[in-house]
């Protein structure tokens, strides 16, 4: 796999992430109330679940769905426990203890405080010997002030449900396999998975899968990418002086921050519409009659690919350097490790639109496993612009390490309204449908040698949904 810092990655503009007319953040009551999975399938497909036309292995598929339905009530209870005890990044102690106790009770080998991270954990179950290893993820952290407005309580139970359902299905059908579920802290700080990567937490996996709520239509699933991001901290150090009595003796750190802010505002006119540069200015002991000797700037650079972030990074840095030069203030520059875009594996998650009008009706044909499974369960999956994740995630770095899939499912996040919606029965029903599709996709990784060979080939060639060739 090419080093992402060296490779310029082709980007399909349709996989960018911008607000789309007609799309909204889902709040409580906006989703039709389906009391059970069966009600969902009746509404979406017009009939009961059926395996008359199996996707790849009817017995395994049926077992996974049955196991997920058997877990539904327990997963609902688990989700509400996490939702009602929100913990910000690196403080997910209740979630850590609750989720690990649950997985241990289900027969998994559990490692607490995994790889030296206080709130990370690992749950694994091996069936037989010599099988492949599929990984799933459970995120846990909430947002300051508004709780689980990113739906990590739903993400947590999707990972739990997938791991248990797949493990039970593999055991029932005598298929050698290893299932690993990682509890990953601090996603909101874009750090947890980077630390797990550095510590070797993903080396045992053949592929890794998770799902995340994201803005989009109700009952939707998307395999668009996310934005790569670089987090910057810039500090300016000047010299205080009386703002009226002797301003010429001062070096104004606020002026430096203001000049940098203004320069970036001008720069935005010459950057691509899919690029984002945004930040804030903070002070320390400021007073209107004192020339500020300190200013701190926190900025994010985002773009559809990590290669584009690197190019934009150099242009942004010059804005800050110029402000330092103009004001005579000393500048200290620091940056967090980069968070990459999500490289959805083409075979695991590609959706390409082959528009073919037939009898006046436009059809699209999907060529990936996850999308076909979603469609079977009455969910509309797409890789269109609105299917992309508008923010950034540390799972992007995971997707550069091994074949990965990170679909989004209909919802909306980072709002107080969504924090309430994430606890509803409707949100739980959608999460279970997503979990079934994800688990079945993961099971095929374990069962189908030819499919896994294609997954690896797509990863090695850097192919993502929309890749030409």
């Amino acid at each position: 796999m090419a080093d992402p810092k060296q490779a310029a990655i082709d980007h399909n503009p349709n996989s960018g992430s911008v607000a789309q007319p007609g799309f909204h953040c889902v709040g409580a009551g906006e989703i039709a109330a389906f009391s059970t999975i069966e009600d969902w399938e009746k509404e979406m497909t017009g009939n009961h679940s059926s395996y008359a036309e199996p996707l790849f292995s009817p017995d395994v598929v049926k077992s996974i769905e049955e196991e997920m339905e058997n877990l539904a009530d327990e997963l609902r209870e688990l989700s509400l426990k996490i939702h009602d005890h929100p913990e910000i990044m690196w403080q997910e102690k209740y979630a850590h203890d609750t989720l690990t106790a649950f997985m241990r009770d289900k027969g998994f080998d559990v490692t607490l405080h995994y790889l030296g991270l206080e709130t990370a954990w690992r749950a694994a179950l091996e069936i037989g010997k010599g099988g492949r290893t599929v990984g799933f993820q459970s995120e846990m952290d909430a947002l300051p002030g508004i709780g689980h407005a990113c739906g990590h309580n739903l993400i947590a139970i999707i990972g739990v449900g997938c791991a248990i359902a797949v493990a039970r299905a593999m055991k029932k059908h005598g298929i050698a396999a290893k299932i690993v579920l990682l509890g990953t802290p601090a996603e909101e700080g874009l750090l947890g998975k980077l630390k797990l990567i550095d510590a070797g937490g993903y080396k045992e996996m053949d592929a890794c899968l998770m799902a995340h709520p994201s803005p989009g239509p109700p009952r939707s699933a998307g395999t668009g990418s996310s934005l790569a991001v670089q987090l910057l901290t810039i500090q300016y150090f000047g010299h205080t002086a009386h703002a009226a009595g002797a301003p010429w003796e001062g070096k104004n750190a606020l002026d430096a921050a203001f000049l940098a802010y203004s320069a970036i505002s001008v720069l935005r006119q010459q950057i691509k519409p899919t690029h984002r540069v945004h930040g804030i200015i903070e002070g320390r002991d400021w007073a209107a009659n004192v020339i500020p000797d300190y200013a701190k700037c926190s900025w994010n650079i985002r773009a559809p690919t990590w290669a584009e972030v690197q190019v934009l990074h150099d242009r942004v840095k010059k804005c800050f350097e110029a402000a330092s030069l103009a004001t005579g203030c000393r500048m200290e520059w620091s940056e967090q490790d980069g968070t990459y875009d999500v490289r959805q594996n083409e075979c695991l998650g590609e959706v390409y639109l082959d528009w073919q009008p037939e009898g006046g009706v436009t059809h699209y044909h999907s060529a990936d496993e996850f999308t076909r499974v979603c469609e079977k369960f009455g969910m509309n999956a797409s890789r269109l612009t609105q299917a992309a994740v508008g923010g950034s995630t540390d799972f992007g770095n995971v997707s550069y390490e091994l074949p990965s899939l990170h679909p989004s499912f209909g919802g909306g996040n980072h709002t107080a309204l969504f924090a309430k919606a994430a606890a509803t029965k409707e949100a739980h029903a959608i999460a279970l449908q997503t979990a079934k599709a994800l688990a079945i996709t993961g099971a095929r990784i374990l069962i189908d040698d030819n499919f896994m060979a294609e997954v690896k080939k797509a990863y090695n060639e850097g192919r993502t949904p929309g890749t030409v060739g």
Side-chain angles (χ1 to χ4, degrees):
M1 189 76 179
D3 185 341
K5 296 182 179 180
Q6 305 297 323
I9 303 163
D10 291 335
H11 173 63
N12 183 339
N14 283 337
S15 68
S17 183
V18 295
Q20 295 295 308
F23 287 83
H24 58 278
C25 291
V26 174
E30 291 186 352
I31 307 171
F34 301 120
S35 59
T36 66
I37 300 295
E38 196 73 9
D39 287 343
W40 173 287
E41 292 184 343
K42 289 178 185 178
E43 177 72 17
M44 296 305 297
T45 66
N47 50 48
H48 297 270
S49 57
S50 171
Y51 300 94
E53 297 178 4
L55 294 170
F56 70 97
S57 179
D59 292 341
V60 172
V61 169
K62 185 175 182 179
S63 294
I64 288 173
E65 186 180 18
E66 289 175 347
E67 292 295 347
M68 201 72 74
E69 290 174 351
N70 291 338
L71 288 165
D73 290 343
E74 290 182 275
L75 293 176
R76 170 78 172 147
E77 181 181 356
L78 188 62
S79 173
L80 292 179
K81 286 181 178 179
I82 303 302
H83 183 275
D84 294 344
H85 293 82
E87 300 164 302
I88 61 173
M89 60 179 182
W90 301 123
Q91 297 181 25
E92 311 94 333
K93 295 179 181 179
Y94 176 85
H96 172 280
D97 295 346
T98 301
L99 291 166
T100 53
F102 189 89
M103 296 305 294
R104 186 182 291 112
D105 185 60
K106 299 304 179 185
F108 278 68
D109 295 324
V110 174
T111 304
L112 307 179
H113 318 303
Y114 188 49
L115 297 176
L117 300 180
E118 183 65 22
T119 52
W121 52 272
R122 173 184 178 272
L125 189 61
E126 188 169 10
I127 298 96
K129 297 294 181 182
R132 281 187 287 272
T133 300
V134 65
F136 297 103
Q137 307 262 227
S138 287
E139 294 176 353
M140 302 169 287
D141 54 326
L143 288 160
I146 54 176
H148 277 290
C150 203
H152 288 193
N153 60 304
L154 300 174
I155 297 172
I157 66 163
I158 287 173
V160 167
C162 285
I164 296 172
V166 171
R168 288 178 174 177
M170 297 301 102
K171 185 175 182 180
K172 178 178 179 179
H173 297 283
I175 299 168
K178 187 176 182 180
I179 296 87
V180 175
L181 174 62
L182 291 185
T184 59
E187 190 276 338
E188 294 299 342
L190 305 174
L191 286 170
K193 296 181 189 65
L194 275 65
K195 292 184 179 295
L196 288 170
I197 289 170
D198 290 342
Y202 294 87
K203 290 188 180 299
E204 65 183 318
M205 300 179 189
D206 290 291
C208 189
L209 302 86
M210 66 167 289
H212 199 300
S214 183
R219 309 181 191 112
S220 65
T223 54
S225 185
S226 66
L227 299 177
V229 62
Q230 177 78 73
L231 274 56
L232 310 174
T233 300
I234 302 93
Q235 299 178 87
Y236 288 112
F237 299 89
H239 182 70
T240 57
H242 195 292
W248 55 85
E249 293 182 358
K251 292 182 179 179
N252 196 320
L254 178 57
D255 280 353
F258 173 77
L259 282 175
Y261 193 104
S262 299
I264 291 171
S265 296
V266 174
L267 176 66
R268 287 195 185 100
Q269 188 177 9
Q270 275 73 50
I271 66 176
K272 293 181 179 180
T274 52
H275 293 179
R276 300 285 185 270
V277 186
H278 48 93
I280 59 171
I281 298 171
E282 301 174 79
R284 182 176 62 197
D285 301 326
W286 282 354
N289 60 350
V290 177
I291 299 295
D293 67 345
Y294 175 80
K296 177 183 176 182
C297 307
S298 299
W299 283 81
N300 294 349
I301 303 172
R302 302 183 197 253
T305 67
W306 176 244
E308 291 174 89
V309 167
Q310 289 181 292
V311 173
L312 188 55
H313 168 281
D314 294 341
R315 299 175 69 188
V316 168
K317 188 172 185 179
K318 289 177 181 178
C319 294
F320 287 97
E321 291 172 338
S324 174
L325 180 65
T327 59
C329 293
R330 179 172 60 86
M331 182 186 81
E332 289 188 4
W333 174 279
S334 62
E335 52 191 58
Q336 186 173 300
D337 289 340
T339 301
Y340 303 157
D341 48 300
V342 173
R343 305 191 73 185
Q344 308 277 22
N345 184 272
E346 181 187 53
C347 293
L348 292 176
E350 179 196 17
V351 179
Y352 73 91
L353 301 183
D354 182 13
W355 298 98
Q356 295 182 7
E358 297 175 20
V361 178
T362 302
H363 300 267
Y364 72 87
H365 306 278
S366 60
D368 73 294
E369 187 66 17
F370 177 75
T371 304
R372 294 199 303 135
V373 178
C374 282
E375 290 169 352
K376 187 163 184 71
F377 294 137
M379 300 176 72
N380 179 37
S382 175
R383 70 159 179 84
L384 292 175
T385 306
Q386 57 265 32
V389 178
S392 306
T393 172
D394 53 4
F395 191 83
N397 295 58
V398 176
S399 73
Y400 275 71
E401 295 292 319
L402 73 162
S404 302
L405 182 64
H406 182 281
S408 59
F409 57 98
N413 49 29
H414 286 224
T415 67
L417 186 60
F418 183 75
K420 295 180 180 179
T424 63
K425 291 181 179 179
E426 296 85 354
H428 181 67
I430 293 172
L432 283 183
Q433 291 302 100
T434 302
K436 283 199 281 186
L438 201 67
I440 292 168
T441 303
R444 186 164 186 182
I445 291 168
L446 300 172
I447 295 170
D448 190 333
D449 293 341
N450 292 333
F451 178 71
M452 188 62 212
E454 288 300 316
V455 167
K456 288 182 177 179
K457 182 178 179 183
Y459 169 75
N460 290 331
E461 295 176 356
R463 298 204 317 269
T464 58
T467 303
V468 177

